Amino acid sequence: MSEIEKNPEINKKQAALLEFIEKMEQMSKFQEKIDVPADIDQIWEVFLEEIENSIDVDICALFIVDEKTQEFILKNVSPADKESICLKEIELQIEIGMLPWVINRRQPALIPSLAAKNKKTIIMLPLTTVKRTLGLTMLFTPIKESLITQENLKLLAMLSKECSLVLENTFLYESLKGEHESLQKAQAEIARAEKLASMGRLTSGACHEILNPLNIISSHVQFMLMDDDLKPNISDYLNIMHLQSNRIAAIVQGLLQFSSSGMQNLIKIKVNDVIESALAQVRHELKLNKIQVVKKLGNNLPVITGDMASLTKVFTILALNARDAMSKGGMLTISTKICNKKEILPGQSAFIETMFQDTGCGISRENTRKIFDPFFTTKEAGAGTGLGLALSDGIIRDHGGIINVESEVDKGTEFHIYLPIKK
Ligand SMILES: Nc1ncnc2c1ncn2[C@@H]1O[C@H](COP(=O)(O)OP(=O)(O)O)[C@@H](O)[C@H]1O
Ligand SMILES: [Mg+2]
């Protein structure tokens, strides 16, 4: 046995050192146990396990700083029924100025059992990065403060650093993900707007070119139909030609409407008046199809600036689509209200929200992405042109607003139209 090995004091120190190294090794696997992106619960689970491996604890609590209010919010407690103890304790520590001191120092702090509310020794572990404070871990331990060693605290400090890094990565990932999603949404919006604009220019030119020869064909067919000596089958053929020319004319008229800017007569408008004007046009149709109309119109809504005829057209289209979706009758609920939400459109937070809700066949998830595309229709030839919603979308955009859809197959569909209230 060497001289060193014989010395019990050195032996003890060596053993302590070995134990420390072992714990550090075990702790350095912390990050490996978490696959970023993780959620806070997952990080907490691993962190808790590491803490429990390092020191004897009765209660552990994780507080996360709310970015807006800078308050410490209790996120997790173990065991779960000790929530109120932790909340009372942090209140006390804030009151006596201990919490700001610990956060400023960025080091673990020991609170003697006498100074703690539930008379247990508390270890506060700030979770910080170079730039900011992410939160705090509070440990309640049965060990007397005089028996907690510097090694214990150092180990916990390193563990907290690891945890802070993983937390910071997760928060960064979350915020990047949010920004990426809103960027993607904005790009899709721009693509949709561009598609509509170029479609508009192209169609208005083409429509006039089609309408002229179509009128000539149509009038000649009508001349031929006036002939009393027509063989019956020829007159049948001509009638078909007449019907189909009318159909082409309807589509082309729709296209023209679609491509021309509908914003000709901008005035101050009450959205409820637009609803009444649209309903006046379709009331009879709805009644014939056994559709009950329920109106929930808001009182004293602010006015918006817009084109009455175009907006009436939108609401008529929505009502007629609802009629088509409820072939066996049903209920159409129309509501208007003020909506204050920032996330609907950038730079706008006050809208009049109009909802058209039906109890019809609904729209499949796949089709909800296509319904605003020009010419998309699921209706039989002759029954739909697929231009109604594309036209409506264009008109609402021209008003600086947006139209959204939510639908469930066999349950019904909701269209939400947001029109900005400009100050
Ligand atoms: N309220 C609704 N319920 C179910 N499907 C709808 C509703 N509104 C629109 N749709 C679907 O969207 C498609 C496109 O509508 P639209 O552009 O008005 O064209 P069209 O009515 O001529 O088919 C419809 O064919 C239908 O499939
Ligand atoms: Mg339609």
Side-chain angles (χ1 to χ4, degrees):
M1 207 181 262
S2 73
E3 273 310 301
I4 291 178
E5 281 168 339
K6 267 189 252 164
N7 186 330
E9 194 51 34
I10 294 182
N11 258 344
K12 224 168 105 190
K13 280 197 174 160
Q14 214 167 22
L17 192 66
L18 275 177
E19 194 187 341
F20 185 64
I21 291 172
E22 202 177 293
K23 280 195 172 158
M24 286 224 353
E25 265 178 358
Q26 169 196 341
M27 191 195 73
S28 66
K29 299 208 177 88
F30 186 87
Q31 295 213 27
E32 285 169 23
K33 289 188 191 167
I34 297 171
D35 14 294
V36 170
D39 57 28
I40 294 185
D41 287 343
Q42 194 196 345
I43 297 172
W44 175 239
E45 217 172 274
V46 178
F47 188 35
L48 193 64
E49 196 188 315
E50 297 296 331
I51 288 173
E52 283 167 349
N53 283 337
S54 315
I55 192 163
D56 192 8
V57 281
D58 292 335
I59 309 172
C60 297
L62 172 72
F63 294 86
I64 294 287
V65 174
D66 182 288
E67 255 196 292
K68 279 192 200 117
T69 60
Q70 288 300 303
E71 273 174 38
F72 283 76
I73 311 288
L74 184 61
K75 273 278 170 208
N76 290 73
V77 191
S78 164
D81 62 346
K82 297 290 189 277
E83 195 178 295
S84 70
I85 294 180
C86 301
L87 286 172
K88 277 186 196 138
E89 191 61 52
I90 197 143
E91 240 173 59
L92 174 72
Q93 299 304 330
I94 291 174
E95 217 173 277
I96 62 174
M98 189 66 181
L99 183 74
W101 182 78
V102 174
I103 295 296
N104 270 340
R105 255 183 92 233
R106 300 166 157 251
Q107 290 294 329
L110 256 185
I111 298 171
S113 49
L114 273 178
K117 205 159 182 117
N118 75 339
K119 305 300 169 219
K120 282 207 171 139
T121 310
I122 295 177
I123 305 171
M124 299 230 264
L125 302 171
L127 298 170
T128 55
T129 61
V130 182
K131 281 196 191 134
R132 62 186 181 126
T133 305
L134 304 170
L136 173 92
T137 317
M138 200 184 244
L139 313 179
F140 296 73
T141 164
I143 308 172
K144 270 183 90 174
E145 62 267 20
S146 55
L147 297 178
I148 296 175
T149 63
Q150 278 306 308
E151 275 74 27
N152 285 140
L153 289 183
K154 264 190 201 146
L155 203 67
L156 290 172
M158 293 177 82
L159 205 50
S160 307
K161 279 257 140 54
E162 295 267 333
C163 179
S164 305
L165 283 177
V166 177
L167 272 178
E168 174 79 337
N169 279 345
T170 299
F171 291 159
L172 275 177
Y173 177 84
E174 285 302 322
S175 85
L176 278 179
K177 200 169 92 181
E179 275 173 31
H180 180 69
E181 273 166 12
S182 62
L183 203 68
Q184 267 186 332
K185 227 170 151 182
Q187 269 177 338
E189 283 293 310
I190 292 171
R192 194 161 121 181
E194 269 176 1
K195 196 160 93 182
L196 287 182
S198 58
M199 273 280 304
R201 283 190 297 274
L202 198 81
T203 37
S204 102
C207 285
H208 290 290
E209 293 301 319
I210 296 170
L211 277 179
N212 291 337
L214 186 68
N215 279 337
I216 297 170
I217 294 173
S218 191
S219 48
H220 280 82
V221 169
Q222 283 176 63
F223 282 140
M224 286 158 83
L225 275 170
M226 279 182 223
D227 188 344
D228 292 334
D229 303 329
L230 279 181
K231 283 189 193 157
N233 59 340
I234 299 290
S235 115
D236 284 350
Y237 295 152
L238 286 173
N239 271 322
I240 292 172
M241 287 167 77
H242 180 55
L243 217 75
Q244 295 299 325
S245 326
N246 283 350
R247 198 175 141 209
I248 299 176
I251 295 176
V252 175
Q253 293 292 358
L255 274 175
L256 256 182
Q257 226 172 14
F258 175 62
S259 58
S260 68
S261 156
M263 305 282 283
Q264 279 139 0
N265 193 9
L266 287 183
I267 51 166
K268 296 248 177 280
I269 290 177
K270 291 183 186 156
V271 174
N272 289 354
D273 290 350
V274 189
I275 304 244
E276 294 298 351
S277 127
L279 278 180
Q281 291 182 26
V282 297
R283 191 162 275 132
H284 184 65
E285 269 296 312
L286 297 176
K287 203 170 165 190
L288 271 183
N289 288 273
K290 299 194 177 57
I291 290 163
Q292 191 195 343
V293 179
V294 178
K295 284 186 287 181
K296 296 181 180 167
L297 306 184
N299 287 325
N300 301 324
L301 297 178
V303 290
I304 58 147
T305 306
D307 181 77
M308 184 76 184
S310 313
L311 290 175
T312 306
K313 177 103 197 149
V314 173
F315 293 159
T316 314
I317 287 168
L318 293 179
L320 292 178
N321 277 347
R323 172 206 60 187
D324 294 341
M326 298 186 278
S327 52
K328 295 194 185 99
M331 191 146 84
L332 171 63
T333 309
I334 305 175
S335 69
T336 51
K337 63 174 184 197
I338 292 192
C339 162
N340 289 307
K341 278 193 209 150
K342 283 207 171 65
E343 60 273 18
I344 292 176
L345 270 177
Q348 265 298 332
S349 58
F351 301 90
I352 303 281
E353 176 181 352
T354 307
M355 183 190 71
F356 273 66
Q357 181 194 49
D358 66 53
T359 55
C361 58
I363 308 169
S364 71
R365 189 175 265 270
E366 198 198 339
N367 282 353
T368 41
R369 277 185 274 124
K370 301 184 201 154
I371 55 170
F372 294 102
D373 288 348
F375 300 113
F376 176 80
T377 180
T378 54
K379 293 169 194 170
E380 278 170 27
T385 57
L387 289 173
L389 288 179
L391 179 64
S392 304
D393 184 46
I395 292 173
I396 298 301
R397 270 163 201 281
D398 285 345
H399 283 79
I402 195 158
I403 176 167
N404 292 333
V405 64
E406 281 167 33
S407 187
E408 208 173 319
V409 173
D410 293 338
K411 286 256 166 70
T413 304
E414 278 180 20
F415 282 92
H416 294 257
I417 301 103
Y418 299 90
L419 290 162
I421 306 166
K422 296 213 173 79
K423 294 266 150 58

